Every structure is written in structure tokens, then in C-alpha cells.
Amino acid sequence: MIRAKCLSTGQELTWTGQITDVWVDTQDPTPQELSALRAAFPFNRFALEDALERGHWSRAEQYPEHAFITIRSYAAPETADEFTERVSLFVFREAVVSHSMHGTLALNRVWALTGRDSVNTPQEVTYEVLDHTADTFFVLADTLEAQVDDLEETVFRSTRQSRVADVFDLKHLIGPARRLASDAREAAALLGRHASAAPADLVRYRDAQDSFTRAVSRFEALREHLTSLLDLHLSLQGQRMNEVMRTLTAVSVIFLPLTFLAGVWGMNFEHMPELRSPYGYAFAWACFIGIGAALAYYFKRRGWW
């Protein structure tokens, strides 16, 4: 599919080979549409190969024909889904061509803004796409932060239930997100360093780079938070285990003297005064109950039970 918009007015138009004052957006183009684009625009061969390659990482380059950048981001950042999407931009002097498989969140939002005072040149369109792509990383960071906060509250409230698997699931999401944001930051940095553009446009590219840098910082902070949360969870589990062991030890100590007395009175010596006493059995039980109760009261007062 090929659609086009006039950069100066923002009006959608039927593209018939126009190569100035136009934004041409292609989504999974057919071979015929791709041939028409190549006939109209002088695409660099290496840039076009990168744009058409599936699964390509984020990168940028300044070619003699045009500037080129491809950015990969998340398709559903509000749900922390792992599915990613990619948009490639060919930035000519008076036109911009975007390529994607099915569009992206950032691309669709900027498409609606085209024609405004701040979005009516190829460089401004490129900046807005980069900036809105950075926003998707911030949305993902917000979603992951909410999940981390919920997990932290659960760790404090339910110390008996293991949350190690949940922590590692979140770290599994944060790691790739940080790498994608870092790759996008490097691509924006290369574009701002080598692109042939006006100083104001280079400042915009550096601003987009700063946005990706902040996104990377948030993901790094989330990863460190999860590491601290994992350490806290293990510490709470260890504390809980110590409490259990202390309770079991207290119970064992209570029965230890009782076992000793039972062993003494269970010996088969002929001359044992308690054996023939009419109150020997009651005396033994009184000792058992008294010693057990005294030890239990002592452990309760000390907070060991």
C-alpha cells in the first residue's frame, strides 16, 4: 500500500510520482509499487535492503542520496507485549519516504499531524516520528513500573509465596526493552551527527536522542529495582525460615527435659522410690506439665514462639 500527503498543507493525495513537498508512506508494498518508488526516488541500494529486510535492528546512516534511519519499537507498550514493529525513513531534501509492514504507533500519530507549522518538512516529520517512538518506550516503562510496584506490594504482604519467577519474568521484559531503546538512541545519535540538515533540525535529532537516553535510564532503574526486590524477597524468605526454625527449636527444647525425665523413670532399677509411691504417676505428670508450661511461658515472653 502507498499513501501520500502534501507536507505544506497536510492534505492526503494520490501519489503519481511526485518527489517534492510530499511524504510517501509505504506499508508492505507490492513489487510493482516498489518499482514505482525506485523509479521516482534515488534510494541508496544498501539503505533499501536494510529497510526491506525483516527483523533488522535500529540504525542510521547518511548516504549521498539521502539520510536513512530505521527504528524498532514495541507495538503494544501499554500491555507490555513482546511484539515489536519497525519503521524506516528515507529523508530527502524536499521529501520523506517511510516504510513499514503495517504502520507503527508513532507513524500513525505523526501522519495525523502533518501540515502543521512544526510538521511540514521532511526533517520535522523525521523528528516527530522519532519523538513519538520514544514516547512508546515511556509508555512501556510506565506499564512495567506499575507491575513492579504491584509485585513489591505482593512481596511484602505474602512472604510465604515465592515471587522469584515473577521477578525474572519482568527482567526478561526489561532486558530487551532496554536494548531496543539503546539501539534507537544510537541511531538517533548517528543521524544527528552525520545528517545533512539545518542546525535547527540537528538540534531536534539530538532532542530525540535525549528522549531515548531517558528511556534507557528508566529501564536501567527498573532493572536495578527488580534486583533489589529480588534480594529483599530472598531476605524475607530467609527471615521467615529463621522464624520457623526458631519455633521448631523452642518446641524441641520444651520436650527435651520431658524426654529426659521419661527416660530416667523408665529405667528398670529395683530401688527407685517413685516406682512404689502411690503418687508417683501424678508426680511425673505434674513435672511434665510444669516444666513444659514454664519453658513455653519463657519462650513466649522472649518472643521466640
Side-chain angles (χ1 to χ4, degrees), residues 58-62 184-195 209:
S58 300
R59 65 176 295 270
E61 189 64 64
Q62 175 63 47
R185 176 187 61 186
E186 297 302 322
L190 288 174
L191 189 65
R193 189 178 304 121
H194 301 297
Q209 176 190 351

Side-chain angles (χ1 to χ4, degrees), residues 16 28 63 79 99 112 115 142 144 165-166 171 184 231 248 255 298:
T16 58
D28 195 17
Y63 294 103
T79 61
H99 170 75
D142 292 338
L144 292 177
D166 296 333
K171 292 189 74 172
D231 294 339
L248 293 177
F255 282 94
Y298 177 76

Side-chain angles (χ1 to χ4, degrees), residues 40-102:
F41 294 97
F43 293 112
N44 182 275
R45 178 170 62 89
F46 299 107
L48 188 60
E49 289 177 356
D50 289 343
L52 296 177
E53 180 182 349
R54 294 181 181 270
H56 203 283
W57 61 89
S58 300
R59 65 176 295 270
E61 189 64 64
Q62 175 63 47
Y63 294 103
E65 300 86 353
H66 54 76
F68 171 76
I69 185 169
T70 180
I71 295 290
R72 181 171 292 278
S73 61
Y74 283 88
E78 67 282 352
T79 61
D81 189 85
E82 295 183 352
F83 184 72
T84 61
E85 57 190 8
R86 181 168 61 97
V87 59
S88 301
L89 297 173
F90 302 84
V91 188
F92 297 90
R93 178 175 299 180
E94 297 181 353
V96 58
V97 179
S98 58
H99 170 75
S100 61
M101 291 303 299
H102 306 288

Side-chain angles (χ1 to χ4, degrees), residues 230-256:
L230 179 60
D231 294 339
L232 175 63
H233 173 68
L234 295 178
S235 298
L236 291 175
Q237 291 283 39
Q239 180 182 358
R240 177 63 183 172
M241 182 61 66
N242 291 337
E243 293 175 355
V244 172
M245 294 302 299
R246 186 172 59 187
T247 302
L248 293 177
T249 302
V251 173
S252 301
V253 171
I254 290 175
F255 282 94
L256 184 62

Side-chain angles (χ1 to χ4, degrees), residues 10-25:
Q11 294 180 347
E12 292 199 28
L13 49 87
T14 301
W15 185 70
T16 58
Q18 180 182 352
I19 60 174
T20 58
D21 192 31
V22 65
W23 176 7
V24 179
D25 177 50

